[in-house]
């Protein structure tokens, strides 16, 4: 059974801090790993990673995948209160559906 | 709006009621999904439709009944629910089944009383 584990479950930081969110996975016939941001209801897509060692970047957010160690990290630099959300990691494999982790609840205080 | 629209946004129903959740996408996607999101738990896949055929049913109780009349619409029919069914129900769509990630709707917050 495919499995995705995220850590930490929750994190409280102050504006300007840098945070690193972790995601480990066990997926049969791995195809991709995805990060989503969920603020109120609809998760919104952040990144899709398929290759090891290639950093994807969007503004202050970046993510990288390690297919050997089966994990990914999501970095957010110079955090802002608008970054407060649940960050979801998901992976797809031979099951062809996405398997999600429990998410990391990030709270950025002013 | 993400391109995937869910209605209603909120629903309160009694255990003997029958109601339906609706999901609509106009992104040209050919796969649609129902997920259940309970507090502090991973998103749970309920049903998958690909090209209007149900391809996944993850041991969901029969009190949940999906319907996909065409590639743009997906319903979840609810009857005789239990309080533990209270959750956020998210619909998603994708171009290929799981390959490129999903576009999610805003969800229906369901409360069973």
């Amino acid at each position: 059974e495919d499995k995705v584990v995220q850590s930490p479950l929750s994190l409280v930081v102050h504006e300007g801090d840098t945070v690193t969110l972790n995601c480990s996975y066990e997926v049969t016939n791995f195809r991709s790993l995805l990060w989503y941001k969920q603020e109120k209801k609809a998760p919104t897509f952040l990144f899709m990673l398929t290759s090891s060692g290639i950093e994807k970047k969007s503004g202050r957010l970046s993510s990288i995948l390690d297919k050997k160690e089966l994990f990914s990290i999501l970095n957010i630099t110079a955090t802002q209160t608008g970054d407060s959300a649940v960050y979801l990691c998901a992976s797809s494999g031979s099951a062809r559906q996405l398997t999600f982790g429990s998410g990391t609840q990030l709270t950025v205080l002013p | 709006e993400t391109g995937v629209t869910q209605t209603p946004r909120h629903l309160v129903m009694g255990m003997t009621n029958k109601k339906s959740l609706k999901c609509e996408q106009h992104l040209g996607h050919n796969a649609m999904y129902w997920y259940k999101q309970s507090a502090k738990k991973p998103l749970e896949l309920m049903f998958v439709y690909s090209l209007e055929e149900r391809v996944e049913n993850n041991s969901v109780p029969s009190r949940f009944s999906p319907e996909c009349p065409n590639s743009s619409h997906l319903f979840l029919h609810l009857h005789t629910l239990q309080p533990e069914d209270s959750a956020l129900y998210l619909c998603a769509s994708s171009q290929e089944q799981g390959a490129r990630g999903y576009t999610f709707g805003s969800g229906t917050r369901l409360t069973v009383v």
Side-chain angles (χ1 to χ4, degrees), chain A:
Chain A
E1 185 180 331
D2 295 347
K3 190 175 171 185
V4 175
V5 178
Q6 292 185 247
S7 63
L9 290 181
S10 65
L11 190 55
V12 180
V13 300
H14 288 90
E15 272 191 319
D17 289 350
T18 293
V19 297
T20 298
L21 310 183
N22 303 296
C23 175
S24 64
Y25 63 91
E26 295 174 25
V27 176
T28 304
N29 295 328
F30 172 85
R31 301 201 312 168
S32 61
L33 186 132
L34 299 97
W35 285 96
Y36 286 85
K37 178 182 181 182
Q38 187 176 22
E39 291 182 80
K40 289 186 179 173
K41 288 196 175 176
T44 53
F45 174 80
L46 293 175
F47 298 112
M48 183 170 78
L49 303 150
T50 56
S51 301
S52 270
I54 298 174
E55 185 182 53
K56 293 248 177 146
K57 202 168 168 65
S58 176
R60 295 176 294 103
L61 276 67
S62 63
S63 183
I64 199 160
L65 176 68
D66 185 329
K67 289 168 76 173
K68 184 179 174 187
E69 301 296 331
L70 306 182
F71 78 89
S72 174
I73 60 172
L74 175 68
N75 277 322
I76 308 175
T77 58
T79 52
Q80 302 170 358
T81 55
D83 295 327
S84 296
V86 175
Y87 290 84
L88 297 168
C89 174
S91 189
S92 75
S94 58
R96 305 188 73 190
Q97 283 78 248
L98 293 183
T99 299
F100 283 85
S102 299
T104 294
Q105 172 73 61
L106 174 65
T107 303
V108 181
L109 302 175

Side-chain angles (χ1 to χ4, degrees), chain B residues 90-110:
Chain B
L90 287 164
C91 172
S93 69
S94 67
Q95 179 51 31
E96 297 167 28
Q97 197 181 328
R100 297 184 181 275
Y102 302 164
T103 302
F104 283 90
S106 295
T108 295
R109 173 68 63 187
L110 174 67

